[in-house]
Amino acid sequence: MATPERPDQPARGAVAQKILSGGREPDPRFTLANERTFLAWIRTSLALLAGGIAVEAFTGSVFDPLTRTVLGTVLLGLAALLALTAGFRWVRVERAMRHSRPLPLPLIVPVLATGGAAAAVVLLVFLLIRPA
């Protein structure tokens, strides 16, 4: 077990030490801000998940099956990817703070933006080719 930085501070467990790769404990405010950011990514993932389920469940009379499948798949895929990468991002930011390194860029942002644009393009194409 690692020795805490301050005598009044308890040491973290072995699993936490392995995941966080040592370093100094950051100010709790920064750790909590990192956690809030993680939770915001998870909320966004849940919204995408709900959107994908809603597209599949409630738009049978609006979209043709191919459009519904593509749109639902894009939304569900983005939800899964975002939830997965949110956890990895939390760890990367926590490690960077512990070792006084610059914070890593959120690599999921371009993927999320591209996926959102793809979903919008699918809807736009559907609206343009749909008979009036």
Side-chain angles (χ1 to χ4, degrees), residues 2-124:
T3 306
E5 293 292 322
R6 297 186 324 246
D8 62 331
Q9 182 181 24
R12 290 203 177 255
V15 174
Q17 284 295 325
K18 181 138 179 87
I19 291 172
L20 299 174
S21 301
R24 295 182 44 166
E25 284 287 327
D27 186 317
R29 293 173 293 181
F30 300 134
T31 297
L32 293 172
N34 188 27
E35 184 176 340
R36 285 189 302 272
T37 303
F38 165 76
L39 292 172
W41 286 111
I42 293 297
R43 278 192 307 273
T44 304
S45 173
L46 289 172
L48 290 168
L49 179 67
I53 291 170
V55 164
E56 185 56 39
F58 301 120
T59 62
S61 62
V62 178
F63 298 132
D64 62 89
L66 178 62
T67 302
R68 195 172 73 233
T69 300
V70 169
L71 188 55
T73 301
V74 167
L75 292 172
L76 294 173
L78 283 173
L81 185 63
L82 187 56
L84 180 66
T85 58
F88 288 115
R89 174 158 172 74
W90 178 85
V91 170
R92 290 176 63 216
V93 168
E94 193 69 22
R95 285 178 181 165
M97 288 190 303
R98 290 171 173 280
H99 296 281
S100 299
R101 292 189 311 248
L103 298 181
L105 289 174
L107 299 177
I108 190 62
V109 169
V111 174
L112 187 59
T114 303
V121 166
V122 168
L123 285 173
L124 183 62

